[in-house]
Amino acid sequence: MHDHPRVGLLLHLLATVVKNQGRSDEAKALYEEALRINVAALGDMHPDIAQTHNNLAIVFHGEGDLQTALEHFEKAAEIDSAVVGADHPRNINAYANIALTHSALGHLDEARDFLERADVIATEHLPAGNETRERTRMSLAKLRFDQGDLRVGLQMYRESLQSLEASSPESPAVPRAHQTLGNMLCETGRPDQALVELRRAAAKLERLQVDPDEMQRLRDEIAECGREKKRGS
């Protein structure tokens, strides 16, 4: 009875509650036990197993163990691809998670490969302005920018931000995208345009009453971009 799938499900749900309380060590142990039970009962390619791998990856990522997180993200994507097909929209977030973890590890070429896969699926299956589609495209644009393709990266990022803002102006993703765009512009020596984007982000985030530390980081970025403007004048 202790190895029944229902026990695995309950452990998974408890792990998620514990994870959301910030108790990552406990959450990790519960997810790992749920994974052991469910793999034994359901096989290692069942959709429920993919969700547990994904949640374990999030815990490991939060702890800074990026390589282990990557392994769990990849296993989750492998299962989902086998169940629904590699080009199913469910894989957009899975590929994006793999890409962002590769990027954090400094594997930019691998990150770009997975983001391009996610972007193709999102473009084919989701309408323009859809938040998942536009955030995927913006992640790809930022990566291209970071790899030195500044003009194309900026253009892609602007276009996706405009589409997202037109479709979902109140989404919290919008001000954060303005913030990222502002930093990209400041980095390329365009402080006037950058400050417009950063101040726009600040105004929207203040209305959302976000975490004070996040607002302070944004204020610091505005101050640094202002200093960059003075140095260039």
Side-chain angles (χ1 to χ4, degrees):
M1 181 65 181
H2 290 301
D3 284 353
H4 192 279
R6 191 170 297 171
V7 176
L9 173 60
L10 291 173
L11 287 173
H12 180 101
L13 294 173
L14 178 58
T16 301
V17 171
V18 169
K19 173 174 70 71
N20 292 339
Q21 293 174 340
R23 295 149 59 192
S24 61
D25 285 342
E26 294 175 59
K28 186 165 56 179
L30 289 166
Y31 279 134
E32 287 173 340
E33 181 62 9
L35 189 62
R36 183 192 69 78
I37 291 171
N38 286 338
V39 166
L42 304 172
D44 62 1
M45 297 299 286
H46 191 277
D48 289 351
I49 306 299
Q51 186 59 53
T52 304
H53 276 296
N54 188 73
N55 287 357
L56 262 173
I58 292 169
V59 173
F60 279 110
H61 199 288
E63 292 183 336
D65 188 348
L66 300 180
Q67 188 58 50
T68 304
L70 179 62
E71 292 166 7
H72 283 289
F73 277 137
E74 288 176 335
K75 185 60 179 179
E78 178 189 350
I79 296 168
D80 281 339
S81 293
V83 172
V84 300
D87 295 331
H88 193 278
R90 184 189 296 181
N91 287 314
I92 296 170
N93 287 332
Y95 291 158
N97 286 333
I98 293 171
L100 294 174
T101 308
H102 270 304
S103 182
L105 286 164
H107 309 156
L108 298 188
D109 289 339
E110 291 88 345
R112 181 166 173 173
D113 178 58
F114 277 98
L115 278 176
E116 286 176 341
R117 291 193 216 177
D119 183 58
V120 167
I121 298 170
T123 301
E124 180 177 350
H125 292 280
L126 302 176
N130 174 274
E131 185 166 329
T132 296
R133 170 174 166 164
E134 303 306 342
R135 290 181 68 175
T136 301
R137 175 60 62 90
M138 285 189 286
S139 294
L140 177 58
K142 180 62 166 60
L143 182 60
R144 293 189 65 166
F145 179 90
D146 291 341
Q147 289 184 303
D149 199 349
L150 306 183
R151 184 185 62 80
V152 171
L154 276 171
Q155 180 179 342
M156 285 176 61
Y157 202 96
R158 277 192 169 117
E159 289 173 354
S160 285
L161 174 53
Q162 289 170 0
S163 182
L164 174 61
E165 192 161 24
S167 176
S168 306
E170 300 305 316
S171 168
V174 170
R176 294 184 173 97
H178 280 293
Q179 181 179 3
T180 299
L181 178 57
N183 286 317
M184 293 164 73
L185 289 164
C186 198
E187 188 176 331
T188 54
R190 305 178 212 188
D192 287 329
Q193 296 177 45
L195 286 168
V196 170
E197 298 295 337
L198 291 171
R199 287 169 179 155
R200 185 176 297 168
K204 287 178 175 287
L205 288 175
E206 282 177 352
R207 290 199 299 272
L208 291 173
Q209 298 182 329
V210 298
D211 181 79
D213 289 341
E214 182 177 356
M215 281 305 306
Q216 186 57 53
R217 285 193 295 272
L218 178 51
R219 292 188 190 100
D220 291 343
E221 291 167 359
I222 291 171
E224 177 56 33
C225 198
R227 288 191 289 271
E228 184 65 29
K229 179 181 177 180
K230 288 181 179 178
R231 285 193 289 267
S233 60

PDB file of all heavy atoms in Angstrom, residues 161-182:
ATOM      1  N   LEU A 161       7.741  42.519 -27.538  1.00  0.00           N
ATOM      2  CA  LEU A 161       7.220  43.329 -26.432  1.00  0.00           C
ATOM      3  C   LEU A 161       6.000  44.126 -26.882  1.00  0.00           C
ATOM      4  O   LEU A 161       4.990  44.206 -26.169  1.00  0.00           O
ATOM      5  CB  LEU A 161       8.305  44.251 -25.890  1.00  0.00           C
ATOM      6  CG  LEU A 161       7.880  45.262 -24.820  1.00  0.00           C
ATOM      7  CD1 LEU A 161       7.156  44.606 -23.661  1.00  0.00           C
ATOM      8  CD2 LEU A 161       9.093  46.042 -24.319  1.00  0.00           C
ATOM      9  N   GLN A 162       6.070  44.720 -28.062  1.00  0.00           N
ATOM     10  CA  GLN A 162       4.926  45.479 -28.578  1.00  0.00           C
ATOM     11  C   GLN A 162       3.706  44.582 -28.747  1.00  0.00           C
ATOM     12  O   GLN A 162       2.581  44.969 -28.409  1.00  0.00           O
ATOM     13  CB  GLN A 162       5.300  46.130 -29.911  1.00  0.00           C
ATOM     14  CG  GLN A 162       6.278  47.291 -29.776  1.00  0.00           C
ATOM     15  CD  GLN A 162       6.822  47.756 -31.117  1.00  0.00           C
ATOM     16  OE1 GLN A 162       6.480  47.215 -32.171  1.00  0.00           O
ATOM     17  NE2 GLN A 162       7.682  48.763 -31.077  1.00  0.00           N
ATOM     18  N   SER A 163       3.922  43.372 -29.263  1.00  0.00           N
ATOM     19  CA  SER A 163       2.815  42.440 -29.467  1.00  0.00           C
ATOM     20  C   SER A 163       2.221  42.009 -28.132  1.00  0.00           C
ATOM     21  O   SER A 163       0.989  41.956 -27.973  1.00  0.00           O
ATOM     22  CB  SER A 163       3.314  41.221 -30.249  1.00  0.00           C
ATOM     23  OG  SER A 163       2.267  40.330 -30.510  1.00  0.00           O
ATOM     24  N   LEU A 164       3.073  41.719 -27.153  1.00  0.00           N
ATOM     25  CA  LEU A 164       2.595  41.309 -25.833  1.00  0.00           C
ATOM     26  C   LEU A 164       1.834  42.437 -25.160  1.00  0.00           C
ATOM     27  O   LEU A 164       0.755  42.227 -24.594  1.00  0.00           O
ATOM     28  CB  LEU A 164       3.779  40.886 -24.963  1.00  0.00           C
ATOM     29  CG  LEU A 164       3.450  40.559 -23.500  1.00  0.00           C
ATOM     30  CD1 LEU A 164       2.481  39.391 -23.412  1.00  0.00           C
ATOM     31  CD2 LEU A 164       4.726  40.257 -22.726  1.00  0.00           C
ATOM     32  N   GLU A 165       2.368  43.649 -25.247  1.00  0.00           N
ATOM     33  CA  GLU A 165       1.728  44.776 -24.573  1.00  0.00           C
ATOM     34  C   GLU A 165       0.387  45.110 -25.207  1.00  0.00           C
ATOM     35  O   GLU A 165      -0.563  45.491 -24.508  1.00  0.00           O
ATOM     36  CB  GLU A 165       2.649  45.991 -24.589  1.00  0.00           C
ATOM     37  CG  GLU A 165       2.207  47.120 -23.677  1.00  0.00           C
ATOM     38  CD  GLU A 165       3.317  48.083 -23.349  1.00  0.00           C
ATOM     39  OE1 GLU A 165       4.282  48.187 -24.133  1.00  0.00           O
ATOM     40  OE2 GLU A 165       3.223  48.740 -22.290  1.00  0.00           O
ATOM     41  N   ALA A 166       0.286  44.965 -26.530  1.00  0.00           N
ATOM     42  CA  ALA A 166      -0.985  45.229 -27.200  1.00  0.00           C
ATOM     43  C   ALA A 166      -2.048  44.212 -26.795  1.00  0.00           C
ATOM     44  O   ALA A 166      -3.227  44.551 -26.674  1.00  0.00           O
ATOM     45  CB  ALA A 166      -0.786  45.200 -28.714  1.00  0.00           C
ATOM     46  N   SER A 167      -1.622  42.977 -26.579  1.00  0.00           N
ATOM     47  CA  SER A 167      -2.562  41.911 -26.250  1.00  0.00           C
ATOM     48  C   SER A 167      -2.868  41.828 -24.757  1.00  0.00           C
ATOM     49  O   SER A 167      -4.002  41.594 -24.361  1.00  0.00           O
ATOM     50  CB  SER A 167      -1.995  40.566 -26.724  1.00  0.00           C
ATOM     51  OG  SER A 167      -2.830  39.504 -26.351  1.00  0.00           O
ATOM     52  N   SER A 168      -1.837  42.031 -23.919  1.00  0.00           N
ATOM     53  CA  SER A 168      -1.988  41.857 -22.461  1.00  0.00           C
ATOM     54  C   SER A 168      -1.302  42.998 -21.722  1.00  0.00           C
ATOM     55  O   SER A 168      -0.274  42.781 -21.063  1.00  0.00           O
ATOM     56  CB  SER A 168      -1.398  40.505 -22.031  1.00  0.00           C
ATOM     57  OG  SER A 168      -1.948  39.441 -22.760  1.00  0.00           O
ATOM     58  N   PRO A 169      -1.844  44.217 -21.815  1.00  0.00           N
ATOM     59  CA  PRO A 169      -1.146  45.377 -21.243  1.00  0.00           C
ATOM     60  C   PRO A 169      -0.959  45.310 -19.731  1.00  0.00           C
ATOM     61  O   PRO A 169      -0.053  45.943 -19.194  1.00  0.00           O
ATOM     62  CB  PRO A 169      -2.038  46.554 -21.641  1.00  0.00           C
ATOM     63  CG  PRO A 169      -3.386  45.945 -21.921  1.00  0.00           C
ATOM     64  CD  PRO A 169      -3.107  44.591 -22.470  1.00  0.00           C
ATOM     65  N   GLU A 170      -1.792  44.546 -19.039  1.00  0.00           N
ATOM     66  CA  GLU A 170      -1.701  44.477 -17.579  1.00  0.00           C
ATOM     67  C   GLU A 170      -0.867  43.294 -17.090  1.00  0.00           C
ATOM     68  O   GLU A 170      -0.744  43.092 -15.876  1.00  0.00           O
ATOM     69  CB  GLU A 170      -3.110  44.402 -16.968  1.00  0.00           C
ATOM     70  CG  GLU A 170      -3.989  45.594 -17.313  1.00  0.00           C
ATOM     71  CD  GLU A 170      -3.328  46.921 -16.941  1.00  0.00           C
ATOM     72  OE1 GLU A 170      -2.754  47.011 -15.839  1.00  0.00           O
ATOM     73  OE2 GLU A 170      -3.378  47.848 -17.764  1.00  0.00           O
ATOM     74  N   SER A 171      -0.313  42.519 -17.990  1.00  0.00           N
ATOM     75  CA  SER A 171       0.499  41.384 -17.572  1.00  0.00           C
ATOM     76  C   SER A 171       1.759  41.861 -16.846  1.00  0.00           C
ATOM     77  O   SER A 171       2.438  42.791 -17.307  1.00  0.00           O
ATOM     78  CB  SER A 171       0.920  40.545 -18.781  1.00  0.00           C
ATOM     79  OG  SER A 171       1.918  39.612 -18.423  1.00  0.00           O
ATOM     80  N   PRO A 172       2.113  41.237 -15.712  1.00  0.00           N
ATOM     81  CA  PRO A 172       3.366  41.596 -15.039  1.00  0.00           C
ATOM     82  C   PRO A 172       4.595  41.364 -15.902  1.00  0.00           C
ATOM     83  O   PRO A 172       5.661  41.933 -15.631  1.00  0.00           O
ATOM     84  CB  PRO A 172       3.382  40.659 -13.819  1.00  0.00           C
ATOM     85  CG  PRO A 172       1.960  40.282 -13.597  1.00  0.00           C
ATOM     86  CD  PRO A 172       1.336  40.230 -14.960  1.00  0.00           C
ATOM     87  N   ALA A 173       4.456  40.544 -16.953  1.00  0.00           N
ATOM     88  CA  ALA A 173       5.594  40.319 -17.845  1.00  0.00           C
ATOM     89  C   ALA A 173       5.952  41.573 -18.630  1.00  0.00           C
ATOM     90  O   ALA A 173       7.105  41.738 -19.050  1.00  0.00           O
ATOM     91  CB  ALA A 173       5.280  39.179 -18.814  1.00  0.00           C
ATOM     92  N   VAL A 174       4.984  42.471 -18.830  1.00  0.00           N
ATOM     93  CA  VAL A 174       5.223  43.661 -19.654  1.00  0.00           C
ATOM     94  C   VAL A 174       6.246  44.604 -19.017  1.00  0.00           C
ATOM     95  O   VAL A 174       7.244  44.967 -19.657  1.00  0.00           O
ATOM     96  CB  VAL A 174       3.902  44.392 -19.970  1.00  0.00           C
ATOM     97  CG1 VAL A 174       4.163  45.750 -20.601  1.00  0.00           C
ATOM     98  CG2 VAL A 174       3.039  43.529 -20.895  1.00  0.00           C
ATOM     99  N   PRO A 175       6.077  45.057 -17.762  1.00  0.00           N
ATOM    100  CA  PRO A 175       7.080  45.955 -17.193  1.00  0.00           C
ATOM    101  C   PRO A 175       8.452  45.303 -17.066  1.00  0.00           C
ATOM    102  O   PRO A 175       9.483  45.973 -17.252  1.00  0.00           O
ATOM    103  CB  PRO A 175       6.507  46.330 -15.828  1.00  0.00           C
ATOM    104  CG  PRO A 175       5.480  45.295 -15.524  1.00  0.00           C
ATOM    105  CD  PRO A 175       4.926  44.889 -16.844  1.00  0.00           C
ATOM    106  N   ARG A 176       8.476  44.017 -16.776  1.00  0.00           N
ATOM    107  CA  ARG A 176       9.781  43.341 -16.669  1.00  0.00           C
ATOM    108  C   ARG A 176      10.461  43.259 -18.026  1.00  0.00           C
ATOM    109  O   ARG A 176      11.693  43.320 -18.130  1.00  0.00           O
ATOM    110  CB  ARG A 176       9.596  41.963 -16.030  1.00  0.00           C
ATOM    111  CG  ARG A 176       9.136  42.066 -14.572  1.00  0.00           C
ATOM    112  CD  ARG A 176       9.041  40.733 -13.869  1.00  0.00           C
ATOM    113  NE  ARG A 176       8.758  40.924 -12.451  1.00  0.00           N
ATOM    114  CZ  ARG A 176       7.552  40.856 -11.898  1.00  0.00           C
ATOM    115  NH1 ARG A 176       6.495  40.598 -12.654  1.00  0.00           N
ATOM    116  NH2 ARG A 176       7.378  41.046 -10.606  1.00  0.00           N
ATOM    117  N   ALA A 177       9.659  43.138 -19.080  1.00  0.00           N
ATOM    118  CA  ALA A 177      10.234  43.155 -20.428  1.00  0.00           C
ATOM    119  C   ALA A 177      10.750  44.549 -20.780  1.00  0.00           C
ATOM    120  O   ALA A 177      11.803  44.689 -21.413  1.00  0.00           O
ATOM    121  CB  ALA A 177       9.188  42.702 -21.448  1.00  0.00           C
ATOM    122  N   HIS A 178      10.030  45.596 -20.367  1.00  0.00           N
ATOM    123  CA  HIS A 178      10.545  46.961 -20.569  1.00  0.00           C
ATOM    124  C   HIS A 178      11.868  47.144 -19.823  1.00  0.00           C
ATOM    125  O   HIS A 178      12.793  47.802 -20.322  1.00  0.00           O
ATOM    126  CB  HIS A 178       9.529  47.987 -20.074  1.00  0.00           C
ATOM    127  CG  HIS A 178       8.418  48.261 -21.039  1.00  0.00           C
ATOM    128  ND1 HIS A 178       8.625  48.890 -22.254  1.00  0.00           N
ATOM    129  CD2 HIS A 178       7.082  47.999 -20.977  1.00  0.00           C
ATOM    130  CE1 HIS A 178       7.471  49.005 -22.894  1.00  0.00           C
ATOM    131  NE2 HIS A 178       6.523  48.469 -22.146  1.00  0.00           N
ATOM    132  N   GLN A 179      11.962  46.573 -18.634  1.00  0.00           N
ATOM    133  CA  GLN A 179      13.192  46.673 -17.852  1.00  0.00           C
ATOM    134  C   GLN A 179      14.354  46.019 -18.595  1.00  0.00           C
ATOM    135  O   GLN A 179      15.449  46.589 -18.703  1.00  0.00           O
ATOM    136  CB  GLN A 179      12.994  46.024 -16.485  1.00  0.00           C
ATOM    137  CG  GLN A 179      14.210  46.095 -15.573  1.00  0.00           C
ATOM    138  CD  GLN A 179      13.943  45.452 -14.224  1.00  0.00           C
ATOM    139  OE1 GLN A 179      12.864  44.906 -13.987  1.00  0.00           O
ATOM    140  NE2 GLN A 179      14.916  45.505 -13.330  1.00  0.00           N
ATOM    141  N   THR A 180      14.124  44.816 -19.101  1.00  0.00           N
ATOM    142  CA  THR A 180      15.178  44.113 -19.837  1.00  0.00           C
ATOM    143  C   THR A 180      15.572  44.883 -21.088  1.00  0.00           C
ATOM    144  O   THR A 180      16.770  45.038 -21.387  1.00  0.00           O
ATOM    145  CB  THR A 180      14.708  42.699 -20.216  1.00  0.00           C
ATOM    146  OG1 THR A 180      14.422  41.970 -19.017  1.00  0.00           O
ATOM    147  CG2 THR A 180      15.772  41.963 -21.012  1.00  0.00           C
ATOM    148  N   LEU A 181      14.583  45.389 -21.813  1.00  0.00           N
ATOM    149  CA  LEU A 181      14.879  46.170 -23.011  1.00  0.00           C
ATOM    150  C   LEU A 181      15.688  47.413 -22.656  1.00  0.00           C
ATOM    151  O   LEU A 181      16.634  47.782 -23.368  1.00  0.00           O
ATOM    152  CB  LEU A 181      13.582  46.561 -23.720  1.00  0.00           C
ATOM    153  CG  LEU A 181      13.730  47.423 -24.980  1.00  0.00           C
ATOM    154  CD1 LEU A 181      14.607  46.751 -26.018  1.00  0.00           C
ATOM    155  CD2 LEU A 181      12.357  47.756 -25.562  1.00  0.00           C
ATOM    156  N   GLY A 182      15.331  48.069 -21.543  1.00  0.00           N
ATOM    157  CA  GLY A 182      16.085  49.234 -21.112  1.00  0.00           C
ATOM    158  C   GLY A 182      17.541  48.906 -20.853  1.00  0.00           C
ATOM    159  O   GLY A 182      18.447  49.659 -21.262  1.00  0.00           O
TER     160      GLY A 182
END
